[in-house]
Amino acid sequence: MLVAIMSRSMKLSLWIAVLLITSGCAVSVADKSESRALGREEAQDTRLGRAIAHRLEKHPGQSGIYTLADPQDAFAARALLARVADRTLDVQYYIWRGDVTGTLLISELHAAADRGVRVRLLLDDNGTSGLDDELSRLASHPLIEVRLFNPFALRSFKSLGYLTDFSRSNRRMHNKSFTADNQATIVGGRNVGDEYFAATEGVLFADLDVLSVGPVVSRVSADFDRYWASDSAYPVEQVLNSEPPSSSSAAWQDVTYSGSHEAAARYIEAIEQADFVHELVGGDLDLEWACTRMISDDPAKGLGEIRDDTTLAHQLGEVLGRPERKVALISPYFVPTAAGVDALAALESRGVEVTVLTNSLDATDVAAVHAGYAKRRKALLDAGIQLFEMRRLSSSEPDGRSAGPFGSSGSSLHAKTFAVDGERLFVGSFNFDPRSMHLNTELGFVIESPALSQSIHRAFGDVIPLRSYQVHLDENDRLYWTEQVDGSEIRHDQEPNTGWFQRAGIGFLSILPIEWLL
């Protein structure tokens, strides 16, 4: 009996060793086809190009911005851009779910290719779980190419890649963009999945994207090109090494309705009812025109091959300049570190008002990240920084009020934006945490718009206090939380809506040396 157990144990150990060795093998690098974003003259000779040409002439050097806070509008905008594209679609995401909204958008990409549109889809491989068949099917289309960023060689046990190739696997492409005909693009915080578009009964995310036209779009396209050609982007055929499933129309109809028929129908209806892309094509969409700068990390960051002084975080500091009056920061995963606390405290010491909104422990979907923030709360409050923590919200608040410029429904904050001096703001994928600063690649816009910037500042004065807890220190240096309910202020001496075990877990995580990973 003992011999049999030892034999089975040795076989199991051998099997695990093989898995570890296999997952550590680098994916083979073969020649990749070269392609570029649509050229300027070709891009102008499209429906989108012709529609916005006269408006660009009236706003030289500026880009048109349309905010997408509502989740169903954000979904519809992507689907409609796919439908109006004449020549190209360049799509880049960190996460793409195989759920209702994910499969609907896959179907839109396939339908665009059937019309003759060239589609390039670049996904971070950490966020493609369960999609291998769909990606193979997409890539089998003659006008669709799919590439994976920092892919895992082992498909069924991806997490083992972190054990054998941690330094590379720990670096992910967090960028998010959806660009049609090099004329219009959507950039912001949303990934592709039901929780980002309010199509699920589980955790929903309050988020923010912007639809943009004008000079900034060509910069997004050029950035996509360098990621597409980077050493970290692998053609999906080299990674999956499997025969693609059928690419017939019937197969794609099955993919489209693989989730809930009712939910799919609801989002198809949202596409049909959305007017703003049709207004864009008709030249009637009300856009905010502003000087807009795209900033992003070099894709070499995915291999750890860039200096800190060239990162998006460094560029962001240069572009935003020196705040003079106020900074309003919204970040779902806020891990300031000791250096960040010092930097924010220095702003306060100069008379700059600093306010921060992040997730409460009750609302966050990543407890370890909350631990990295929680250990810095007292130091932030001591420095005079105002802290707000978003409550876990229902998908429809009873009073019907908007949750502000970062989204109108959701149970967890996911928007990444901050405003400076009521004059400019950042919108993108960047979180104020060590992972965004040093490990993941990021993308975003700095928009010189007093109207948009001031809307963020105003939210901290009216809407945000109604949707969050404000954190305070009492005379004994103990934390407490207040919330506004029906015109009254309620005080909590423990983190609201949490249990002892949950708080103890956060306390334990906060003492571990993991802050650099968060």
Side-chain angles (χ1 to χ4, degrees), residues 174-192:
H174 200 231
N175 311 38
K176 304 158 179 71
S177 66
F178 194 110
T179 307
D181 288 337
N182 196 10
Q183 290 293 295
T185 190
I186 297 171
V187 165
R190 286 185 178 89
N191 295 296
V192 174

Side-chain angles (χ1 to χ4, degrees), residues 12 24 27 45 81 94 123 152 238 268 273 292 337 346 358 370-371 392 408 419 451 512:
L12 178 61
V27 177
D45 188 25
L81 278 189
Y94 171 59
L123 300 177
F152 297 89
Q238 296 179 27
I268 292 171
Q273 292 181 348
T292 303
T337 72
T358 190
H370 188 83
R392 173 175 286 274
S408 59
L512 297 179

Side-chain angles (χ1 to χ4, degrees), residues 92 122 149-150 167-168 170-173 175 223 225-233 296-308 310-312 315 437-442:
Q92 179 181 22
L122 177 60
F149 192 91
N150 268 354
S167 62
R168 181 183 68 87
N170 190 42
R171 295 178 177 273
R172 310 311 318 176
M173 182 191 74
N175 311 38
D223 195 61
D225 280 349
R226 69 171 181 163
Y227 272 81
W228 186 254
S230 72
D231 289 340
S232 294
S296 74
D297 283 305
D298 189 311
K301 187 180 181 184
L303 297 173
E305 296 177 353
I306 63 170
R307 303 189 314 272
D308 283 348
T310 65
T311 62
L312 177 144
Q315 298 171 54
M437 291 180 184
H438 305 298
L439 296 173
N440 291 349
T441 68
E442 306 289 352

Side-chain angles (χ1 to χ4, degrees), residues 354-366:
V354 180
T355 53
V356 176
L357 172 68
T358 190
N359 276 311
S360 65
L361 177 55
D362 179 41
T364 188
D365 63 320
V366 185

Side-chain angles (χ1 to χ4, degrees), residues 65-335:
I65 304 294
Y66 185 86
T67 57
L68 294 168
D70 180 84
Q72 290 194 9
D73 282 352
F75 170 82
R78 289 161 170 83
L80 288 168
L81 278 189
R83 292 185 183 187
V84 301
D86 289 333
R87 304 291 298 277
T88 62
L89 284 169
D90 291 332
V91 181
Q92 179 181 22
Y93 281 97
Y94 171 59
I95 292 173
W96 194 298
R97 305 279 190 215
D99 50 21
V100 173
T101 55
T103 52
L104 284 171
L105 287 178
I106 284 178
S107 182
E108 294 290 348
L109 297 183
H110 194 269
D114 282 344
R115 297 195 321 268
V117 176
R118 184 201 71 188
V119 178
R120 296 188 294 177
L121 177 61
L122 177 60
L123 300 177
D124 186 274
D125 195 35
N126 194 53
T128 61
S129 297
L131 278 185
D132 283 5
D133 285 349
E134 284 75 10
L135 296 180
S136 291
R137 185 185 288 113
L138 271 177
S140 69
H141 194 290
L143 288 180
I144 301 177
E145 288 186 79
V146 181
R147 292 185 182 177
L148 298 176
F149 192 91
N150 268 354
F152 297 89
L154 196 62
R155 307 310 297 169
S156 298
F157 300 92
K158 281 187 179 181
S159 58
L160 290 177
Y162 286 97
L163 300 178
T164 60
D165 193 7
F166 181 77
S167 62
R168 181 183 68 87
S169 299
N170 190 42
R171 295 178 177 273
R172 310 311 318 176
M173 182 191 74
H174 200 231
N175 311 38
K176 304 158 179 71
S177 66
F178 194 110
T179 307
D181 288 337
N182 196 10
Q183 290 293 295
T185 190
I186 297 171
V187 165
R190 286 185 178 89
N191 295 296
V192 174
D194 288 355
E195 64 267 41
Y196 302 97
F197 300 122
T200 177
E201 297 301 321
V203 173
L204 308 177
F205 288 126
D207 221 323
L208 179 65
D209 300 316
V210 292
L211 169 65
S212 310
V213 299
V216 75
V217 179
S218 63
R219 298 186 184 106
V220 173
S221 293
D223 195 61
F224 182 94
D225 280 349
R226 69 171 181 163
Y227 272 81
W228 186 254
S230 72
D231 289 340
S232 294
Y234 291 75
V236 73
E237 298 88 348
Q238 296 179 27
V239 178
L240 302 185
N241 295 318
S242 61
E243 288 296 320
S246 169
S247 59
S248 68
S249 298
W252 278 101
Q253 188 174 10
D254 289 342
V255 170
T256 301
Y257 292 100
S258 63
S260 164
H261 290 265
E262 181 180 350
R266 186 169 71 250
Y267 277 78
I268 292 171
E269 182 180 2
I271 297 170
E272 301 300 334
Q273 292 181 348
D275 294 327
F276 45 84
V277 171
H278 299 303
E279 292 174 356
L280 176 63
V281 174
D284 301 321
L285 186 63
D286 185 17
L287 298 170
E288 173 73 13
W289 291 92
C291 293
T292 303
R293 177 170 171 177
M294 185 214 76
I295 55 176
S296 74
D297 283 305
D298 189 311
K301 187 180 181 184
L303 297 173
E305 296 177 353
I306 63 170
R307 303 189 314 272
D308 283 348
D309 61 0
T310 65
T311 62
L312 177 144
H314 183 81
Q315 298 171 54
L316 194 55
E318 291 184 332
V319 174
L320 289 175
R322 179 182 170 93
E324 297 295 336
R325 299 186 305 279
K326 51 188 176 180
V327 172
L329 190 155
I330 296 173
S331 178
Y333 311 120
F334 178 59
V335 185

Side-chain angles (χ1 to χ4, degrees), residues 419-484:
V420 176
D421 291 339
E423 297 175 354
R424 53 199 180 276
L425 77 157
F426 170 84
V427 177
S429 67
F430 180 83
N431 290 301
F432 201 96
D433 62 16
R435 175 162 290 280
S436 283
M437 291 180 184
H438 305 298
L439 296 173
N440 291 349
T441 68
E442 306 289 352
L443 168 70
F445 289 166
V446 175
I447 306 169
E448 300 285 341
S449 168
L452 295 179
S453 180
Q454 288 169 21
S455 72
I456 301 295
H457 290 299
R458 282 197 303 272
F460 277 93
D462 47 39
V463 178
I464 287 175
L466 301 177
R467 295 289 179 271
S468 61
Y469 310 108
Q470 185 169 3
V471 192
H472 311 268
L473 277 178
D474 66 16
E475 62 278 6
N476 296 314
D477 200 37
R478 291 180 298 200
L479 293 170
Y480 69 96
W481 291 255
T482 59
E483 66 172 318
Q484 306 296 323

